[in-house]
């Protein structure tokens, strides 16, 4: 039996389930929005036993972890202020230990731990060590350092270090603008010292590349974002009225080998990689998202990724 851990609203999970049904694979689905009863996580010198919602997970042969995490904290405990904050930290520690334990004995694709510990700088360093091209990058709290970095390149960009900002109160609403160009005028408005800013050289590109991977298989798509000013810097500044043209592409074998080395180095067996193909004919790694969307990639390129995921669990 396969265990699916996913949001109940996730379209991709629903499509994977259709394929599991088609191939006659038994599965159980746990929704990340709903409370799951942790009956016990029992550990002794001889064995480990885990039962959730009265289901012994020893009967589970494989796990696909799409997004979020199992929730063991009852909703009735969500309004206790600092007590709730403490209990959620305890719960988080428990959930991570459960995942680590299951990974030791089960085929486990995806990860809550990798999703929340998704650090762009770590991945840039790992990509460099795997001989992938990366943009020159800087994180600084100094206006002088940022100006010096800006002077080296025709243009630079800035993006979030980890998460896009989304802050809402009764008085303000602050949302990320995504990746954007940093001008000298913007820098001039900064104080001499500020919170850490993440900047990169802006590299002119022929097209952008989104790569979904699962285990050792890569599904790659070229995104022609350069003809639209709205998406020119980053295709994720979507133009819903005139979407970018997206086509399947084949990656060079040496690049696939570098990417495979990278995924192993950062211990990811699924995720979405963003790259660009520059005007000087280089493949350049930008970042990886352990839980990136792939529904649009699958449909645009007729890759049937959801079927490939289902088949991963037919082999166990």
């Amino acid at each position: 039996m396969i265990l699916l851990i996913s949001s109940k609203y996730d379209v991709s999970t629903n499509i994977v389930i259709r394929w599991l049904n088609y191939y006659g694979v038994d599965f159980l689905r746990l929704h990340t929005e709903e409370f799951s009863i942790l009956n016990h996580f029992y550990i002794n010198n001889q064995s480990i036993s885990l039962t959730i919602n009265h289901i012994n997970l020893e009967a589970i042969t494989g796990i696909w972890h799409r997004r979020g995490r199992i929730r063991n904290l009852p909703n009735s405990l969500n309004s206790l202020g600092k007590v709730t904050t403490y209990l959620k930290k305890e719960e988080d520690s428990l959930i991570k230990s459960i995942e680590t334990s299951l990974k030791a004995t089960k085929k486990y694709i995806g990860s809550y731990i990798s999703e929340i510990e998704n650090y762009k700088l770590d991945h840039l360093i790992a990509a460099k060590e795997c001989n992938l091209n990366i943009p020159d990058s800087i994180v600084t709290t100094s206006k002088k350092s940022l100006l010096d970095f800006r002077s080296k390149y025709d243009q630079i960009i800035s993006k979030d270090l980890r998460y896009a900002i989304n802050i809402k109160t009764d008085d303000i609403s602050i949302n990320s603008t995504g990746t954007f160009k940093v001008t000298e005028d913007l820098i001039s408005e900064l104080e001499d010292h500020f919170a850490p800013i993440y900047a990169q050289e802006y590299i002119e590109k022929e097209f952008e590349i989104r790569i979904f991977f699962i285990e050792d298989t890569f599904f790659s798509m070229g995104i022609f974002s350069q003809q639209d000013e709205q998406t020119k810097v980053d295709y994720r500044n979507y133009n819903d009225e005139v979407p970018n043209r997206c086509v399947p592409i084949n990656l060079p074998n040496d690049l696939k080998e570098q990417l495979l080395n990278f995924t192993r180095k950062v211990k990811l067996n699924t995720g979405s990689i963003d790259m660009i193909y520059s005007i000087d004919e280089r493949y350049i790694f930008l970042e990886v998202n352990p839980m990136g969307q792939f529904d649009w990639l699958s449909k645009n390129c007729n890759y049937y990724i959801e079927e490939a995921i289902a088949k991963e669990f037919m082999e166990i």
Side-chain angles (χ1 to χ4, degrees):
M1 179 179 286
I2 306 306
L3 175 64
L4 307 178
I5 303 173
S6 170
S7 166
K8 62 183 177 182
Y9 305 109
D10 187 63
V11 173
S12 297
T13 304
N14 295 337
I15 299 173
V16 169
I17 285 174
R18 291 176 202 161
W19 285 109
L20 291 173
N21 285 327
Y22 177 79
Y23 286 114
V25 179
D26 291 332
F27 66 90
L28 169 70
R29 182 175 183 175
L30 293 180
H31 294 143
T32 55
E33 296 88 359
E34 297 174 355
F35 170 64
S36 296
I37 300 172
L38 175 61
N39 304 110
H40 69 253
F41 184 21
Y42 184 61
I43 307 166
N44 62 24
N45 287 312
Q46 287 73 43
S47 64
I48 298 174
S49 175
L50 175 62
T51 300
I52 295 176
N53 287 354
H54 304 289
I55 297 168
N56 183 356
L57 293 197
E58 284 303 307
I60 299 296
T61 55
I63 299 165
W64 185 46
H65 197 147
R66 170 65 186 141
R67 276 190 165 175
R69 61 179 177 84
I70 299 170
R71 300 193 179 277
N72 299 137
L73 195 66
N75 291 334
S76 59
L77 299 178
N78 281 340
S79 58
L80 302 178
K82 291 184 178 180
V83 173
T84 298
T85 300
Y86 167 77
L87 290 174
K88 286 187 174 181
K89 288 181 179 179
E90 288 286 284
E91 181 194 33
D92 193 63
S93 172
L94 167 65
I95 295 303
K96 290 177 180 176
S97 294
I98 289 174
E99 179 178 319
T100 300
S101 175
L102 289 171
K103 281 180 176 176
T105 58
K106 314 288 183 186
K107 183 182 182 72
Y108 200 119
I109 296 179
S111 169
Y112 163 66
I113 297 173
S114 295
E115 181 181 0
I116 63 167
E117 296 179 0
N118 179 26
Y119 305 126
K120 293 179 182 178
L121 297 182
D122 290 357
H123 293 154
L124 271 183
I125 293 169
K128 172 184 175 296
E129 292 173 349
C130 293
N131 297 316
L132 289 161
N133 294 315
I134 62 171
D136 286 358
S137 306
I138 187 174
V139 180
T140 181
T141 63
S142 164
K143 183 176 183 177
K144 180 180 183 306
S145 293
L146 190 58
L147 283 169
D148 289 345
F149 184 75
R150 171 68 177 80
S151 68
K152 294 179 182 179
Y153 307 101
D154 292 336
Q155 301 177 81
I156 65 172
I157 59 171
S158 183
K159 60 175 72 173
D160 307 295
L161 266 174
R162 188 178 177 195
Y163 297 128
I165 188 171
N166 184 8
I167 298 174
K168 292 183 180 180
T169 70
D170 292 339
D171 302 316
I172 62 169
S173 177
I174 304 175
N175 294 290
S176 174
T177 58
T179 303
F180 63 94
K181 290 182 179 179
V182 180
T183 64
E184 289 188 3
D185 288 341
L186 283 175
I187 299 174
S188 68
E189 295 177 3
L190 295 171
E191 302 291 336
D192 289 339
H193 299 282
F194 36 76
I197 287 178
Y198 177 32
Q200 289 182 327
E201 63 170 318
Y202 176 72
I203 300 174
E204 293 287 350
K205 50 190 175 286
E206 294 284 353
F207 56 89
E208 300 184 58
I209 306 169
R210 167 56 73 98
I211 306 163
F212 177 79
F213 64 94
I214 181 167
E215 298 291 11
D216 298 345
T217 304
F218 296 94
F219 301 89
S220 307
M221 177 173 72
I223 306 167
F224 291 86
S225 56
Q226 300 309 288
Q227 306 307 312
D228 188 327
E229 286 301 319
Q230 183 171 322
T231 62
K232 190 172 184 179
V233 175
D234 187 338
Y235 74 87
R236 289 168 297 189
N237 299 326
Y238 302 109
N239 185 338
D240 294 325
E241 294 183 4
V242 186
N244 295 147
R245 178 169 173 253
C246 300
V247 300
I249 61 171
N250 291 320
L251 301 176
N253 288 332
D254 58 343
L255 177 59
K256 287 183 183 178
E257 189 63 30
Q258 291 169 334
L259 289 171
L260 187 57
N261 290 339
F262 167 79
T263 61
R264 289 171 176 169
K265 188 176 185 66
V266 297
K267 299 180 180 179
L268 291 175
N269 55 17
T270 190
S272 295
I273 295 171
D274 286 323
M275 301 188 71
I276 61 172
Y277 185 70
S278 66
I279 59 174
D280 58 356
E281 301 182 337
R282 292 182 298 147
Y283 290 93
I284 299 172
F285 173 93
L286 300 180
E287 59 187 67
V288 60
N289 183 340
M291 293 294 158
Q293 294 284 4
F294 60 84
D295 177 66
W296 63 305
L297 190 156
S298 184
K299 289 177 178 175
N300 274 303
C301 299
N302 293 316
Y303 277 142
Y304 295 94
I305 292 172
E306 298 84 359
E307 181 184 13
I309 292 169
K311 285 184 173 180
E312 280 290 331
F313 294 102
M314 293 173 58
E315 301 171 1
I316 56 176

